[in-house]
Amino acid sequence: MTEQKARDVLLAKNILQQRFGDKLLTGESVREQHGHTTTYIPNQPPDAVVFAQSAEDVKWVVEVCAEHRCPVIAFGAGSSLEGQLNAPEGGICIDLSALNQIISVDEDDLTVTVQPGVTRVALNEHLRDTGLFFPIDPGADASIGGMASTRASGTNAVRYGTMKDNVLSLKAVMADGREITTASRARKTSAGYDLTRLMVGAEGTLGVITELTLKLHGLPESIVGGVCNFPDINSVCRATIQTIQYGLPIARIEMLDAVQVSACNAYSKLNLAEKPTMFVEFHGTEASTKEQSETFAEIIQEFGGSDFQWTANNEERSKLWQARHDAYWASKALRPGTDAIVTDACVPISRLADCVEETVADIKRHNLLAPIVGHVGDGNFHTAVIVDMDSPEDIETAKKFAERLSQRAIEMGGTCTGEHGIGQGKKSYLRQELGDAVDFMQMIKQSLDPQNIMNPEKIF
Amino acid sequence: MTEQKARDVLLAKNILQQRFGDKLLTGESVREQHGHTTTYIPNQPPDAVVFAQSAEDVKWVVEVCAEHRCPVIAFGAGSSLEGQLNAPEGGICIDLSALNQIISVDEDDLTVTVQPGVTRVALNEHLRDTGLFFPIDPGADASIGGMASTRASGTNAVRYGTMKDNVLSLKAVMADGREITTASRARKTSAGYDLTRLMVGAEGTLGVITELTLKLHGLPESIVGGVCNFPDINSVCRATIQTIQYGLPIARIEMLDAVQVSACNAYSKLNLAEKPTMFVEFHGTEASTKEQSETFAEIIQEFGGSDFQWTANNEERSKLWQARHDAYWASKALRPGTDAIVTDACVPISRLADCVEETVADIKRHNLLAPIVGHVGDGNFHTAVIVDMDSPEDIETAKKFAERLSQRAIEMGGTCTGEHGIGQGKKSYLRQELGDAVDFMQMIKQSLDPQNIMNPEKIF
């Protein structure tokens, strides 16, 4: 940080301190916690954390920061994975967790309007009695604002889409302090540029999201969950392609490799065969989930799928999916005291088998411990490389592996990130993936945030 | 047009003429046909039409036009409704209809890559033997590039989404002549700003689309079509809400008011009761479409729906949907020698009954002939005001009606356009609908097209 920058930031901080009093904290631990990211990327704490209580507070912070060219970093639940929350140039972190009001549930419209600090679990708890639910489920209990900002998805995306598909409209405080509404509440629109989709996935680099209207979905009358295993990874991938191509409206189709299954067995007390495994879920009427399960059972036979067990029992089903969501913790528990560096690649589904197989070979070749899980219906998968965070060598090896994986995905017509975002961690791959298109992204950034105060040094 | 502008355009035209020879036309009729729009908006022809044969040609035209600050208007099939193709500042129209190659069908990925001049009918004919289809169906046989540019949808959007949801990636020649690729071919991505969604709906104001990769869907094993009628419009709307809320995965749910039904009876030789009517369609397995039809039959009873007939017979079903797609022509045929001015509004579905009822009252109050059809599952509906195009009074009355309808939709939390776009016709409502957000759209326009050569005077 230059001296001028440091003076600017200090000035902004002092002005904000006068307004926010004890809602502005500067202690080391709170600042570090707000720069914290679940990655190998070193912590770069902001200079102060403002605990916003309203959109008005957000506006105020951005206005002061704009006047003094001070960086602004929005913070939801702190569960991003690619360094999205770090403050490499210092600045003010706006903690939005107190903006956790569910403003309105509009059952006739199948929409809900929320503040950005609402988490996905809190939202679905609130919706419990309405017969509606919000399907996007990244592993962590992320905030809705953060999920929108990283264009998050999760296990349900194969049926319900990602945040891109489920944010109808949003409000955001832009870099000049003005709050805009990106779209009406109509379910579709052709009115001007799609600012909603521009803000979704912008990782806080264009503005701070202060309100979101989301699409909801009817809770299915019947949910059937199942598990089965396969002789090898290639068979899992081919069975997935066949299922999707058949047009089966599958709600979840997840792959776990043998290493991940053994980790889940140990951590979540399951008794699964330690082979490449698929977790699936079907949503519909009772007749239709039964029909889907039967069709699926036929499809997987062709690919050597076996031991297919399915159940409509909620408790058994939940245990399975809790284990899937705990895969990250299960991986870490494989070697106590270690940590996991998580990667995220997504390829056209026709290349999924190739990409996963080459990745498995890479893992073996470099003697890594790196369980694989995948939202295979979307061609998206993760590896969690187990590392000793005190070992620079371990971290370097994991970084090199992640780099090779990103390049492999890009070469196969895919992307270096299906759902975690670019943040700081994947900046170097973005141009490799999209070439000159990145110039046009940067022109947009430059035009909407000419002082580069909104979450600087991210994405680009 | 200023004299300077006229000189710029002339210069660009002369340079292009040297390269394109007889692929550049300047005759009055071809120019008028390319400015032609199916609206009341007066024709503003371009100075010349270049019939591009390749993306390279497009790049060449844009480069020359950029050098000479000459407007560039992309033309697909000429079926847009809000003056998107007019050339108010003159300039070069690029006719993309010869860019009609289907580059690749990737069955495993459920995607197809096409040139922008491919039409939706040609695409689905090409796909016929694959078991896949592309669902977006505006009434006209529009080009895929044009459909992307106006963020088109149609009758299937309630189940399959709009162009926003079905374009995976695209190539575009931007205002500086560079061709970019907006995204990888992976089914989801969090890599940087969503340039795909920015170009979809930009109406050619940011660049010329030269290639698109689209999502395809499996042709359902069973398709069941049905028709039923209701005592009044309100009941149609309430039955729609109930159907959607129930979670019935309905593929099409269309409303026709009594006037439209009588127009369709006459034009398409049907024998429907001349009452508010619903056309529906269910996609799935045989068991599931049967179950859906039965559930639907139960739902509509509550709202006085009667005479529900459904059929899996393709011929009968196609006749019905052909009539729906011909609604525009049927409306015009109500009074031979007249024309129809079509409006397009979309509201949150909870307000649909109110909006349609107030619109019906408005039609009565002003003694208009204006049949109503609606993609009611999305809250989207159209009226076709029948006018004598030689009567300025008729046109003025229709314009005032369209204005009131747009305002009504906006006041109800909706949009002045669900699928036709802003073009020239709805510029004045955009700011009313989205306020300061329009400033940020204009900043983007200014940064990506600083000379304002890409389809100028549209949207803003």
Side-chain angles (χ1 to χ4, degrees), chain A residues 107 109 178 205 285 350 439, chain B residues 109 178 193 245 291 350 439:
Chain A
E107 295 186 35
D109 293 322
R178 279 191 287 172
T205 63
T285 61
S350 62
D439 292 343
Chain B
D109 293 321
R178 279 191 288 172
Y193 299 162
Q245 226 179 23
E291 191 182 31
S350 62
D439 292 343

Side-chain angles (χ1 to χ4, degrees), chain A residues 222-456:
Chain A
S222 162
I223 300 181
V224 165
V227 59
C228 57
N229 57 59
F230 289 82
D232 50 50
I233 289 279
N234 188 284
S235 304
V236 179
C237 295
R238 285 185 303 132
T240 303
I241 292 175
Q242 187 66 27
T243 304
I244 301 290
Q245 227 181 21
Y246 187 86
L248 207 71
I250 200 159
R252 290 167 150 174
I253 183 164
E254 295 283 311
M255 180 190 72
L256 297 81
D257 76 348
V259 184
Q260 185 67 63
V261 173
S262 80
C264 289
N265 274 344
Y267 186 86
S268 301
K269 302 193 175 40
L270 301 176
N271 278 309
L272 300 172
E274 298 189 354
K275 293 188 193 177
T277 294
M278 221 187 232
F279 286 9
V280 291
E281 197 168 273
F282 308 101
H283 293 180
T285 61
E286 266 183 48
S288 119
T289 50
K290 183 164 178 290
E291 192 183 31
Q292 289 180 57
S293 306
E294 287 165 357
T295 306
F296 180 73
E298 278 170 38
I299 291 173
I300 59 169
Q301 267 187 8
E302 198 184 321
F303 303 96
S306 59
D307 302 339
F308 179 44
Q309 299 158 32
W310 49 278
T311 177
N313 178 300
N314 268 335
E315 210 171 315
E316 284 176 56
R317 204 173 42 78
S318 296
K319 194 176 169 197
L320 211 57
W321 288 103
Q322 190 56 51
R324 169 62 191 88
H325 277 131
D326 288 341
Y328 172 73
W329 305 107
S331 298
K332 284 180 58 161
L334 279 173
R335 275 194 203 147
T338 59
D339 224 317
I341 293 182
V342 179
T343 63
D344 166 33
C346 190
V347 292
I349 197 168
S350 62
R351 303 306 307 276
L352 182 62
D354 296 340
C355 196
V356 174
E357 280 190 334
E358 287 186 25
T359 303
V360 169
D362 189 345
I363 289 168
K364 279 197 187 142
R365 199 178 315 123
H366 292 85
N367 201 23
L368 300 173
L369 181 59
I372 299 179
V373 293
H375 312 307
V376 283
D378 298 312
N380 185 202
F381 69 97
H382 309 297
T383 63
V385 188
I386 306 303
V387 293
D388 173 358
M389 279 296 191
D390 294 328
S391 157
E393 198 186 315
D394 258 27
I395 293 176
E396 194 53 30
T397 305
K399 277 170 72 173
K400 291 265 187 238
F401 168 79
E403 194 176 315
R404 288 191 301 274
L405 177 49
S406 289
Q407 275 163 1
R408 187 176 302 132
I410 292 167
E411 280 161 19
M412 290 184 179
T415 173
C416 64
T417 172
E419 55 183 21
H420 295 169
I422 298 290
Q424 295 180 308
K426 291 191 163 162
K427 285 158 66 167
S428 59
Y429 315 134
L430 185 63
R431 188 165 291 269
Q432 189 182 341
E433 182 174 327
L434 296 175
D436 281 358
V438 180
D439 292 343
F440 292 86
M441 295 182 191
Q442 286 183 298
M443 288 180 208
I444 293 169
K445 166 71 173 171
Q446 164 70 21
S447 75
L448 301 194
D449 178 22
Q451 300 191 106
N452 192 24
I453 61 167
M454 307 309 291
N455 208 8

Side-chain angles (χ1 to χ4, degrees), chain B residues 438-450:
Chain B
V438 180
D439 292 343
F440 292 86
M441 294 181 194
Q442 286 182 298
M443 287 180 211
I444 293 168
K445 166 72 173 169
Q446 164 69 24
S447 74
L448 301 195
D449 178 21

Side-chain angles (χ1 to χ4, degrees), chain A residues 107-110 132 150-154 157 159 162 164-165 174-176 178-195 197-198 200-203 205-206 215 218-219 221 241 244-247 249 285-288 291 344 346-351 375 377-380 412-422 430 433-434 436-445 447-448 459-460, chain B residues 107-110 132 150-154 157 159 162 164-165 174-176 178-195 197-198 200-203 205-206 215 218-219 221 241 244-247 249 285-288 291 344 346-351 375 377-380 412-422 430 433-434 436-445 447-448 459-460:
Chain A
E107 295 186 35
D108 276 359
D109 293 322
L110 278 78
L132 302 171
T150 54
R151 206 180 293 131
S153 48
R159 167 125 177 197
T162 75
K164 154 177 90 61
D165 308 297
M174 305 302 277
D176 63 2
R178 279 191 287 172
E179 189 181 45
I180 62 166
T181 300
T182 56
S184 79
R185 291 203 310 106
R187 276 187 99 71
K188 63 184 198 187
T189 173
S190 287
Y193 300 161
D194 192 345
L195 295 182
R197 249 53 56 184
L198 185 65
V200 171
E203 303 189 15
T205 63
L206 298 177
K215 286 190 195 172
L219 270 173
E221 174 191 318
I241 292 175
I244 301 290
Q245 227 181 21
Y246 187 86
T285 61
E286 266 183 48
S288 119
E291 192 183 31
D344 166 33
C346 190
V347 292
I349 197 168
S350 62
R351 303 306 307 276
H375 312 307
D378 298 312
N380 185 202
M412 290 184 179
T415 173
C416 64
T417 172
E419 55 183 21
H420 295 169
I422 298 290
L430 185 63
E433 182 174 327
L434 296 175
D436 281 358
V438 180
D439 292 343
F440 292 86
M441 295 182 191
Q442 286 183 298
M443 288 180 208
I444 293 169
K445 166 71 173 171
S447 75
L448 301 194
I459 301 183
F460 311 111
Chain B
E107 296 186 34
D108 276 358
D109 293 321
L110 279 78
L132 301 171
T150 53
R151 207 180 292 130
S153 46
R159 167 126 178 197
T162 74
K164 153 177 90 58
D165 307 297
M174 306 301 280
D176 63 2
R178 279 191 288 172
E179 189 181 44
I180 61 165
T181 301
T182 56
S184 79
R185 291 202 310 109
R187 276 188 99 72
K188 62 183 199 188
T189 173
S190 286
Y193 299 162
D194 192 345
L195 295 182
R197 251 50 59 183
L198 184 66
V200 170
E203 302 188 17
T205 63
L206 299 177
K215 286 190 196 174
L219 270 174
E221 173 191 319
I241 291 176
I244 301 288
Q245 226 179 23
Y246 186 86
T285 61
E286 267 183 45
S288 120
E291 191 182 31
D344 166 33
C346 190
V347 292
I349 197 169
S350 62
R351 302 307 305 277
H375 311 308
D378 298 313
N380 185 203
M412 291 185 179
T415 173
C416 64
T417 173
E419 54 183 23
H420 295 170
I422 297 291
L430 185 62
E433 182 175 324
L434 295 175
D436 282 356
V438 180
D439 292 343
F440 292 86
M441 294 181 194
Q442 286 182 298
M443 287 180 211
I444 293 168
K445 166 72 173 169
S447 74
L448 301 195
I459 303 183
F460 311 111

